[in-house]
Amino acid sequence: MAQWTSAVGPAQLARLLDSQQDRPAGPGTRRPPAYRALADGIRLLVLEGRVPVAARLPAERELALALSVSRTTVAAAYEALRAEGFLESRRGAGSWTAVPAGNPLPARGLEPLPPEALGSVIDLGCAALPAPEPWLTRAVQGALEELPPYAHTHGDYPAGLPALRAMIAERYTARGIPTMPEQIMVTTGAMGAIDAICHLFAGRGERIAVESPSYANILQLMREAGARLVPVAMAEGLTGWDMDRWRQVLRDAAPRIAYVVADFHNPTGALADDGQRRLMVDAARSAGTVLIADETMSELWLDPEVSMPRPVCAFDPAGSTVITVGSASKAFWAGMRIGWVRAAPDVIRSLVAARAYADLGTPVLEQLAVNWLFSTGGWEQAVELRRAQARENREALVAAVRRELPEWEFEVPRGGLTLWVRTGGLSGSRLAEAGERVGVRVPSGPRFGVDGAFEGYVRLPFTVGGAVAEEAAARLAAAARLVESGATGGGEAPRTFVA
């Protein structure tokens, strides 16, 4: 049986280690020995999932040259990692990463905590809110009433239920974007939609331009598909998209696909204006790039004065450049795994044909539930509840973080579900690791970047409010103190929190 399944080159590992920027040590702070700092850095990369488990590490001499340290330092670091269970070695086979027995594998995306862990850990990893009742229950009851005619069929609708496709098309038309049902395919969430698009348009080795930062799970999906990610830096704060950079990247790299979240961008919360959307579409068209516009946050404006721009696809009347992805998961409930694609009819036909080798179709009952929400007006009322909850949570979280961690910097977005926070010089990866020990789960900035970027950031979602938000901020402050002190292992015990 092979001991390792992938390899990390010395230059790549050196870049990843270099991206771990810590706050300079204060007076009297004792720095660890060089071998210990190297071992800690590699261990953290494994825990973050940025170096996969079972990845072969460089030979001691190669890594020493790449890092400009002695071979003795690397050998001592590898020995420490072996003693802690994070490295395994065999003569003639090299050394490869591992996790100690009993430890969970590193989360490569942002998977939610299991429900049984929620009593002792505050989960800020998953940007999703509880269902907006009573609308979930009503939608399911309405779907059950509509189910009998479909139960007499094979139940296999690769393009989606005709009634739901027509309803989604009608909703786009009402937004000023004339759309036929033939331009819609219903998918299993937005992730299923983007996965299908990537497999159709971008084979292994193809370039995909992505915002930097961007949504972590989509970045990982594209990596798993074998894509070569081309990051395009976002402008500072909430100004969003630097169109000069986008034009240059699309012209020079000629990516097959570009992926953008123009509506309350995840993770920064930025909102692209009409001018930016028009220029984005024009640049993609000129480069021959397919532009995926992720609209999953488009209905989550939180401030009443927000004037929403036109959809990205409005600037592509011919339908040859933009493919739009929508979903019920963010605006309604993450457990409602219904998404959709709006594209030219020939693209939809190709996506539907390819689906025979993927998931075949989307569950009928959930499609009927979403169709019930759309057709009865329940969707609008449910989303208004969602906005009110997210708005209240945002205010509570912002106030708590400003009080507990005044040196952390962020701009408050006008919509969406996330706050993108600069952590005052602390390593986001180390904050995430320390947070696990004090009972708060937070994703670090590098999850949202390409190859080690954004080490000085964390993402905080608007998923908790009131006393829970205050407790979450207090635990983040405790994690920050652990990082500042250089503490490793042990730490404060998580406190059980009862809402």
Side-chain angles (χ1 to χ4, degrees):
M1 178 178 177
Q3 292 84 15
W4 50 273
T5 57
S6 61
V8 181
Q12 180 187 7
L13 184 55
R15 284 197 307 274
L16 290 169
L17 289 165
D18 188 57
S19 73
Q20 296 175 333
Q21 299 298 323
D22 274 330
R23 174 175 290 179
T29 302
R30 187 177 177 184
R31 284 205 173 274
Y35 85 89
R36 183 68 260 175
L38 176 56
D40 287 346
I42 294 173
R43 176 175 55 84
L44 194 60
L45 291 172
V46 173
L47 290 172
E48 271 284 297
R50 292 158 66 196
V51 169
V53 174
R56 188 180 188 274
L57 295 185
E60 293 171 2
R61 188 184 304 276
E62 294 174 341
L63 186 57
L65 287 171
L67 295 175
S68 299
V69 300
S70 71
R71 182 177 177 182
T72 303
T73 297
V74 177
Y78 278 14
E79 182 58 36
L81 289 168
R82 277 190 287 269
E84 296 164 4
F86 286 94
L87 196 69
E88 296 180 11
S89 303
R90 180 172 297 176
R91 186 178 296 277
S95 299
W96 57 95
T97 56
V99 291
N103 278 33
L105 286 173
R108 301 185 71 183
L110 299 176
E111 297 86 355
L113 283 174
E116 60 269 20
L118 295 178
S120 60
V121 179
I122 299 175
D123 186 7
L124 298 181
C126 186
L129 291 162
E133 288 287 27
W135 296 105
L136 174 62
T137 299
R138 292 180 183 178
V140 173
Q141 290 171 342
L144 288 171
E145 293 176 2
E146 298 292 332
L147 183 61
Y150 295 93
H152 294 292
T153 73
H154 48 63
D156 187 3
Y157 297 89
L161 293 184
L164 181 55
R165 296 176 72 195
M167 182 60 67
I168 294 170
E170 182 180 316
R171 290 172 65 84
Y172 275 107
T173 300
R175 295 169 67 189
I177 316 296
T179 302
M180 303 178 295
E182 292 79 9
Q183 292 177 261
I184 301 296
M185 181 177 83
V186 181
T187 62
T188 307
M191 292 287 288
I194 294 169
D195 182 56
I197 295 166
C198 288
H199 278 89
L200 179 63
F201 285 96
R204 298 192 69 84
E206 291 277 7
R207 295 183 180 92
I208 300 180
V210 294
E211 297 146 329
S212 183
S214 187
Y215 179 36
N217 286 342
I218 292 296
L219 294 180
Q220 189 59 39
L221 181 154
M222 292 174 174
R223 291 187 189 103
E224 296 284 352
R228 298 165 59 191
L229 300 182
V230 182
V232 186
M234 296 282 284
E236 284 295 317
L238 298 178
T239 55
W241 293 259
D242 184 327
M243 294 316 305
D244 289 337
R245 289 175 182 167
W246 272 100
R247 275 191 294 266
Q248 180 180 356
V249 168
L250 295 183
R251 181 183 65 243
D252 296 347
R256 187 70 183 93
I257 289 174
Y259 169 76
V260 297
V261 185
D263 300 291
F264 306 118
H265 175 261
N266 187 353
T268 69
L271 176 65
D273 60 29
D274 281 336
Q276 289 171 320
R277 295 169 190 239
R278 179 181 290 105
L279 291 172
M280 180 75 71
V281 174
D282 290 345
R285 184 183 296 113
S286 298
T289 297
V290 174
L291 183 62
I292 303 176
D294 185 333
E295 286 191 335
T296 53
M297 297 282 191
S298 64
E299 295 190 65
L300 291 177
W301 64 86
L302 304 183
D303 295 338
E305 68 275 10
V306 172
S307 178
M308 289 300 295
R310 300 174 68 197
V312 174
C313 60
F315 303 98
D316 180 38
S320 59
T321 299
V322 177
I323 297 179
T324 302
V325 171
S327 172
S329 298
K330 293 297 185 185
F332 185 75
W333 184 46
M336 188 69 77
R337 305 305 305 160
I338 298 294
W340 52 86
V341 177
R342 180 198 181 275
D346 61 317
V347 172
I348 295 298
R349 286 193 293 270
S350 297
L351 289 170
V352 171
R355 200 169 193 182
Y357 309 101
D359 64 357
L360 295 177
T362 303
V364 169
L365 188 63
E366 292 184 25
Q367 292 187 73
L368 288 172
V370 172
N371 191 59
W372 183 91
L373 288 166
F374 284 157
S375 61
T376 61
W379 177 268
E380 285 72 22
Q381 295 184 65
V383 171
E384 185 54 44
L385 285 176
R386 170 68 74 242
R387 292 191 196 107
Q389 185 178 14
R391 186 184 305 116
E392 181 178 333
N393 288 355
R394 179 189 63 178
E395 293 171 358
L397 186 65
V398 165
V401 172
R402 282 178 172 164
R403 181 178 61 255
E404 297 285 345
L405 294 150
E407 67 278 14
W408 287 17
E409 302 172 32
F410 53 86
E411 291 189 42
V412 181
R414 297 179 296 167
L417 290 173
T418 57
L419 199 64
W420 186 236
V421 181
R422 183 183 281 119
T423 55
L426 296 179
S427 161
S429 298
R430 285 181 166 80
L431 278 167
E433 183 186 16
E436 296 281 355
R437 301 207 300 272
V438 299
V440 60
R441 183 172 183 259
V442 58
S444 65
R447 290 188 180 277
F448 304 89
V450 176
D451 202 14
F454 307 109
E455 185 59 60
Y457 289 82
V458 294
R459 190 197 73 173
L460 305 180
F462 310 142
T463 52
V464 296
V468 185
E470 294 177 4
E471 178 68 11
R475 295 187 186 188
L476 286 172
R481 289 192 293 272
L482 284 177
V483 175
E484 288 175 324
S485 69
T488 56
E492 302 177 29
R495 289 174 285 173
T496 302
F497 183 80
V498 180

